[in-house]
Every structure is written in structure tokens, then in C-alpha cells.
Amino acid sequence: MPPMQIFVTRKIPAPGLEILRAAKVEFQVAQEQENAGLDPAELAAGTGQSSVLLSLLTEKIDRRLLESAPRLLGVANMAVGFDNIDIDAATELGIPVSNTPGVLTESTADLTWAMLLGVARRIPQAHRYMCNGEYKLWGPNLFLGSDLGPGPDGRRKVLGIVGYGRIGAAVARRAQGFDMRVIAYDPHNSAGIAADPQVEGMGDLNEVLRAADFVSLHPLLSPETRHLISTDELRAMQPGAFLINASRGPVVDEAALLLALREGWIAGAALDVYEREPEMLAGLESLPNVLLLPHIASATWDTRGRMASMAAENALCHLRGQVAPNAVNGEVYASDAYRARQARQSS
Ligand code: DGY
């Protein structure tokens, strides 16, 4: 039986599906419901019978799954992050993997700022207060929060950016409007930081943590960045500082963060992502100094449509044996494993 051409794990936004329809390829959307995913058996069955997998960050694409799919020609992940995929295994097996970079940079930076402002000015708490009918009389001490602009002493607030890729840089750009001093640390992009006149590069993470009033996290998740922020790092932050995470949950040790927030090591945290997503550590929800969102940093109509389109274009490249413009393991195309896989498909 010939393999299904493209296996789309879950319902992606319409622009992506339109591209697949217009290309007249055979594809299947395995899960149409918004709130449901695929179980591992369904994912394995679909992947094993398909030429291309169009996946979301909710699917764990590990070595076992990839090994069980000898006819798979590529994985198009509809996300900029690809920590859900074992890239080393894919490369070894000759499978190109692509992502959707660039198109979500601005919306993610926007939401990072919404989180920063929201937690600093206690917007969720004030909203709840209104909805609960608790607002009876205006008072000068009602929901006092932190300023973003310079204080009475003229000191500019410091925004510390950890991970200075596209999104980190877009977050930094927006800080100019608030007259903030921006410092950044990224051991993989010190050249990018040095080239940006608006940003001061820091030699190590602790320098950023000690100096910042707001710490915003934007690294890729890797073994190196797992629990990048844990007890020592939270202890290094100022008691009046806020932590914002719109990158990946495991970058922060959630248990350490819970303790830090409970004991007032830092002033507050805004999280869009969680260590064991979609679960979050019990106790976070009852803290007075958090803002918690369900991984929506790129959730705008336009951005999600563009991500879906980009993933669909990547999937078509994988299907046609063309180099995908957004391959994250581009070296795979020169490998024997890749050539063998292509040859197997056409035999
Ligand atoms: C990504 O693309 O990696 C985001 O987390 C979801 O948009």
C-alpha cells in the first residue's frame, strides 16, 4: 500500500490546510478537536503509514517513533521550538526536520510585554477584584504595582534578557519606549548582542540576574538550558524583581520558583509555559504575585495562520524531496542515510 502523503497530527489553522489542498496532495488531519491530542499509538500508526509528518509541539517525536517509520521523508513542526523532536535521531536516520521561525517573533515579543506589564501592575488580580464585585471605593493604596520607567531617583529600570535570538531582540527593542536599560546574556549570540547599540552584553547569567528589575527568558530548550533558572539563580535576583518566561517551561525549575514566590525572594513571575505542560505545579495558582497563561505567546490570528502556512510549505518540500527552507538539521541532506531513505521511497 502506498504511504499516506502527509499526516497532520491535529487541526492546524486554515491557511495551512488551504496550501495542502491547493497542492492536491493527499493528507489527513488526525485530530479535529481543539482540546484533544493523539495518544502515542495513534501517532505511531499515522507516522508509520505516512511520507511526511506535520506535527505540533504537543507531539513527542522520539527515536523510537522515528525508527518505526522507515518511509518517513520529513517532519514539519508547526512551531519555532523543536525540543519535542529528537533531532539527533532524525539526522542519523536521514529525516529532515523543519520549524517555523521568524513569523512569530513580534507576537511573542508583544505577549512577553503584556506579561511583564500584567505582573508588574497586578492586572489579573485587579481584574478578578472587579469581577468578584469587590470594588466599593477608590483608594490610594489599591493595587499598587511596580513602575517600568525611571524612579524618583532617575534610575532607569533594568530589563535583563536571557537568550538573545530573534525574540529576545524583539523584546529588547520594545524596552526603548519605556526608557529602560537593557542588558542581555546569550553565550551563543554574544556577537548579536555586541552589534546592538541599545543593549549591554553581560559576561554571565548571574550578572543579569543580580542587576535586572525584570528578567525575561528566551533561550531554546536544550540540556544546557534545562533548569537554567533554579534556586541559586532565583536567590541571585533582587527581591523587587520579576521573572517572565515565554520560552519553554523546563528552563525554569518550577518547584524552586514556587518557593521563591512564596518566600518573597523575588516580587513576582509571569509564565506562559510550564515544566510539565499542560500541568502546572500545584500552589502556583493560589499565589498573589503570578500571572499564568496557557502557552499563548504566538496566539494571534495572523501569526498562527503564517505558522500553519510555513509548516505546510515545509511539509510539501519534504514530500517532494526538496530542501526545506526551514530545516533545522540541514546537514542531513548531504548524508547517506538521507539518500537511502529517498531511494527507498521511490523504489
Ligand atoms: C513555538 O512556536 O515554539 C511556540 O512555543 C508556540 O508558538
Side-chain angles (χ1 to χ4, degrees), residues 69-154:
R71 306 180 78 169
L72 193 66
L73 295 178
V75 179
N77 207 39
M78 196 195 110
V80 67
F82 44 86
D83 48 280
N84 56 316
I85 305 174
D86 185 335
I87 300 296
D88 290 343
T91 307
E92 226 174 84
L93 294 164
I95 304 171
V97 176
S98 53
N99 69 343
T100 60
V103 291
L104 49 73
T105 301
E106 304 304 327
S107 49
T108 301
D110 288 347
L111 194 92
T112 301
W113 274 91
M115 291 165 71
L116 193 156
L117 283 157
V119 72
R121 297 298 302 270
R122 307 177 61 200
I123 291 173
Q125 291 77 13
H127 174 82
R128 243 188 333 262
Y129 182 80
M130 286 305 293
C131 295
N132 292 343
E134 291 172 68
Y135 183 40
K136 306 291 182 210
L137 180 66
W138 182 87
N141 296 306
L142 202 54
F143 288 107
L144 300 183
S146 296
D147 277 305
L148 274 70
D153 57 359

Side-chain angles (χ1 to χ4, degrees), residues 10-337:
R10 293 175 58 197
K11 194 168 155 205
I12 60 171
L17 297 176
E18 279 155 24
I19 286 173
L20 298 182
R21 261 182 229 113
K24 300 202 181 335
V25 295
E26 185 199 359
F27 68 93
Q28 179 202 342
V29 177
Q31 178 54 271
E32 294 275 350
Q33 283 175 46
E34 283 298 333
N35 234 344
L38 295 187
D39 66 36
E42 291 168 320
L43 179 62
T47 307
Q49 289 158 17
S50 309
S51 297
V52 172
L53 178 61
L54 197 161
S55 55
L56 301 184
L57 56 84
T58 43
E59 284 92 48
K60 191 168 168 50
I61 301 168
D62 56 15
R63 179 177 289 274
R64 213 161 108 191
L65 178 71
L66 294 169
E67 280 175 349
S68 69
R71 306 180 78 169
L72 193 66
L73 295 178
V75 179
N77 207 39
M78 196 195 110
V80 67
F82 44 86
D83 48 280
N84 56 316
I85 305 174
D86 185 335
I87 300 296
D88 290 343
T91 307
E92 226 174 84
L93 294 164
I95 304 171
V97 176
S98 53
N99 69 343
T100 60
V103 291
L104 49 73
T105 301
E106 304 304 327
S107 49
T108 301
D110 288 347
L111 194 92
T112 301
W113 274 91
M115 291 165 71
L116 193 156
L117 283 157
V119 72
R121 297 298 302 270
R122 307 177 61 200
I123 291 173
Q125 291 77 13
H127 174 82
R128 243 188 333 262
Y129 182 80
M130 286 305 293
C131 295
N132 292 343
E134 291 172 68
Y135 183 40
K136 306 291 182 210
L137 180 66
W138 182 87
N141 296 306
L142 202 54
F143 288 107
L144 300 183
S146 296
D147 277 305
L148 274 70
D153 57 359
R155 184 183 80 83
R156 292 162 81 211
K157 298 288 185 320
V158 181
L159 171 64
I161 301 205
V162 178
Y164 204 76
R166 277 179 291 258
I167 296 172
V171 170
R173 267 199 312 279
R174 286 156 172 74
Q176 305 313 317
F178 292 94
D179 193 12
M180 292 174 96
R181 175 179 163 221
V182 184
I183 60 176
Y185 170 71
D186 186 337
H188 303 288
N189 190 21
S190 36
I193 296 174
D196 188 337
Q198 320 264 25
V199 176
E200 292 166 51
M202 297 285 134
D204 67 43
L205 175 62
N206 268 333
E207 266 186 84
V208 173
L209 300 174
R210 278 197 302 268
D213 297 286
F214 299 91
V215 174
S216 193
L217 304 175
H218 303 284
L220 282 178
L221 177 62
S222 68
E224 180 194 347
T225 60
R226 186 172 292 273
H227 283 194
L228 185 70
I229 303 296
S230 188
T231 304
D232 290 349
E233 292 71 29
L234 291 160
R235 287 263 187 215
M237 288 174 68
Q238 300 182 36
F242 294 88
L243 181 72
I244 293 103
N245 188 12
S247 61
R248 283 292 184 264
V251 170
V252 176
D253 176 347
E254 228 163 72
L257 177 64
L258 181 66
L259 193 64
L261 291 165
R262 270 194 183 140
E263 297 193 347
W265 311 351
I266 63 173
L271 305 176
D272 186 41
V273 287
Y274 303 88
E275 216 180 319
R276 277 168 287 276
E277 215 167 300
E279 287 165 37
M280 72 175 178
L281 193 63
L284 280 173
E285 75 293 342
S286 52
L287 292 173
N289 47 355
V290 290
L291 184 159
L292 304 165
L293 301 177
H295 203 147
I296 55 168
S298 65
T300 68
W301 300 113
D302 284 351
T303 296
R304 287 284 165 83
R306 288 160 81 190
M307 289 168 70
S309 302
M310 204 170 191
E313 301 284 8
N314 284 327
L316 292 175
C317 288
H318 294 317
L319 184 68
R320 293 169 180 153
Q322 297 162 351
V323 174
N326 308 110
V328 298
N329 59 346
E331 70 278 19
V332 73
Y333 291 107
S335 70
D336 290 342

